[in-house]
Amino acid sequence: MNPDILRDRFSPVLESLRWLFVALPLAGMVPALTPVTGAVAAAAFLSSLPLLWLPAWPPWVLPVSLTVLAASSGTLWVLQPHGLTSVVPFTTVFYAARFLTARAGLGVAVSVIAMLVVLYVRDETNIHSALLNVTMVGVVMLLGLNRRSRAERMEQTELALARARTAAEEHALAAALAERARIARDLHDVLAHSLSGLALNLQGARLMLLRDGANPEVLAQIERAQRLASDGLTEARRAVAALREDPVPLERAIADLLTGYRLDSGAAAELTVQGSPRPVGAAPATTVLRTVQEALSNTRKHAPGASVHVALSFSEDGIEVTVTDHQGRAPAPADTAGYGLRGMAERADLLGGRLSTGPGEDGWRVRLALPA
């Protein structure tokens, strides 16, 4: 395994081991502590505790604790220059260089060097030891800076890898969307057009067979083929919409239903749109489409061959659709509404709308009004 990965995985353990460079020298001073040095050692120990929970939070905790640790450990070094006390200031310099700003880390290092100057002035160390200690401060500071730089490089590498993964995912998504758009274009330009032409040709063939008094079984097969072509055309358009992830406009969906009605019955079917068309939610759009579909189904059943007119109106108050078939005569009032229209009325009620049905001047009319 990569040593850097191992080091990062066991980083909390390593930080705790580094903290021992502070705790153990302080613990070794306990037998020789006086009231003054005991208070200073206690301050050093307490100020070192945030090193166990790096990065310390809130942000001001670590700079304050390292400043106090540097001052208290440097004071202990001056008061008791012999022993392991000197390890604590060097450890403090390492942490300051690694976790604090450059100015703050340099300030901690300068304070430790000041303690070394005091020791030299008091003749506690000779010039060689003083220079060695100053060099050690510089080396420890460089080690801390190197550790900090490596951590920053690792973070930048991880960030770059994350950005690269994101870019690769976005590129793959764009490629997939482009491929889906190509398939959708092929479906629309080839399959949908072919099915539309096939349905029209079958309609023409059916009319010619009717004119020539063809066998009813042949007519039934032609009509069945025509319905299959019409259904295939509808499914092809749905597939194109799904591939493009672009919902079909309500007026276009109604026009498709009327196209199927024209191909199936050979009767005229017209759509008029009033107002400015706008996107409609899934539930209202489904209710409108199912209502138009049910009205057309009833026309096929009760008035075969009747022409149909659908009026779709967009207003600030909502959406209104009216389906009227023209039978050429006034229809008889229905005793009860069928289950299909009854279900549509219940669906309209759930959306706060209203469905009304009844005879018109020369046919049957279904009207649905939904609020905005």
Side-chain angles (χ1 to χ4, degrees):
M1 185 177 288
N2 192 320
D4 291 336
I5 297 177
L6 282 174
R7 190 181 296 111
D8 290 336
R9 177 175 297 179
F10 296 103
S11 181
V13 177
L14 294 176
E15 299 300 350
S16 299
L17 292 176
R18 291 194 185 98
W19 176 77
L20 293 178
F21 286 105
V22 176
L24 292 180
L26 292 177
M29 294 177 61
V30 171
L33 290 178
T34 64
V36 175
T37 56
V40 177
F45 179 79
L46 292 175
S47 63
S48 71
L49 292 179
L51 299 178
L52 290 172
W53 292 280
L54 293 172
W57 191 90
W60 57 266
V61 170
L62 191 59
V64 171
S65 64
L66 287 178
T67 301
V68 174
L69 181 60
S72 56
S73 62
T75 302
L76 285 175
W77 195 3
V78 171
L79 295 177
Q80 294 186 359
H82 304 291
L84 296 176
T85 313
S86 59
V87 175
V88 181
F90 290 127
T91 305
T92 306
V93 170
F94 174 83
Y95 276 107
R98 180 180 171 188
F99 292 106
L100 302 186
T101 62
R103 180 179 298 179
L106 184 60
V108 171
V110 169
S111 66
V112 172
I113 292 175
M115 298 300 176
L116 294 175
V117 173
V118 171
L119 289 174
Y120 176 73
V121 171
R122 290 179 51 184
D123 293 329
E124 297 289 349
T125 58
N126 55 40
I127 186 64
H128 297 289
S129 296
L131 291 176
L132 179 61
N133 287 331
V134 171
T135 302
M136 283 295 297
V137 170
V139 170
V140 170
M141 189 169 185
L142 289 176
L143 288 175
L145 291 174
N146 179 68
R147 182 70 177 83
R148 177 175 182 169
S149 177
R150 194 190 71 84
E152 290 176 349
R153 288 196 304 271
M154 288 293 294
E155 291 178 358
Q156 292 174 357
T157 301
E158 292 176 358
L159 180 60
L161 289 175
R163 288 176 176 172
R165 285 194 297 268
T166 301
E169 291 173 358
E170 291 178 351
H171 179 74
L173 178 59
L177 290 176
E179 180 63 13
R180 290 175 63 172
R182 184 191 66 79
I183 296 173
R185 286 194 301 269
D186 290 343
L187 282 174
H188 180 269
D189 296 341
V190 179
L191 182 59
H193 285 180
S194 298
L195 287 173
S196 179
L198 176 61
L200 289 174
N201 287 334
L202 289 171
Q203 171 68 7
R206 187 177 72 88
L207 293 176
M208 286 189 293
L209 289 173
L210 281 173
R211 183 194 61 191
D212 297 337
N215 189 319
E217 294 183 0
V218 176
L219 284 173
Q221 291 297 326
I222 292 294
E223 289 171 355
R224 183 174 180 274
Q226 184 181 354
R227 284 194 298 272
L228 290 174
S230 178
D231 293 341
L233 177 60
T234 301
E235 293 301 325
R237 286 173 174 168
R238 288 177 182 172
V240 169
L243 285 170
R244 289 186 177 274
E245 295 183 346
D246 186 16
V248 178
L250 182 57
E251 61 276 14
R252 173 68 179 276
I254 294 176
D256 288 344
L257 291 177
L258 294 180
T259 299
Y261 178 81
R262 283 195 300 270
L263 293 174
D264 185 36
S265 65
E270 181 185 3
L271 170 66
T272 59
V273 180
Q274 299 175 351
S276 299
R278 62 177 181 272
V280 180
T286 300
T287 300
V288 171
L289 288 176
R290 293 295 177 264
T291 300
V292 174
Q293 195 173 32
E294 182 64 25
L296 294 176
S297 177
N298 287 338
T299 300
R300 289 188 181 95
K301 183 189 300 183
H302 301 292
S307 62
V308 175
H309 177 260
V310 178
L312 178 63
S313 176
F314 294 91
S315 65
E316 295 181 357
D317 298 331
I319 305 169
E320 181 177 314
V321 63
T322 303
V323 182
T324 305
D325 59 33
H326 300 282
Q327 305 174 15
R329 55 182 172 80
D335 296 334
T336 58
Y339 291 111
L341 289 178
R342 193 179 304 171
M344 291 301 102
E346 294 173 355
R347 188 190 291 267
D349 289 339
L350 292 175
L351 297 177
R354 185 169 57 90
L355 179 72
S356 60
T357 62
E361 295 180 358
D362 61 345
W364 197 262
R365 182 178 63 189
V366 177
R367 179 178 175 272
L368 171 68
L370 296 178

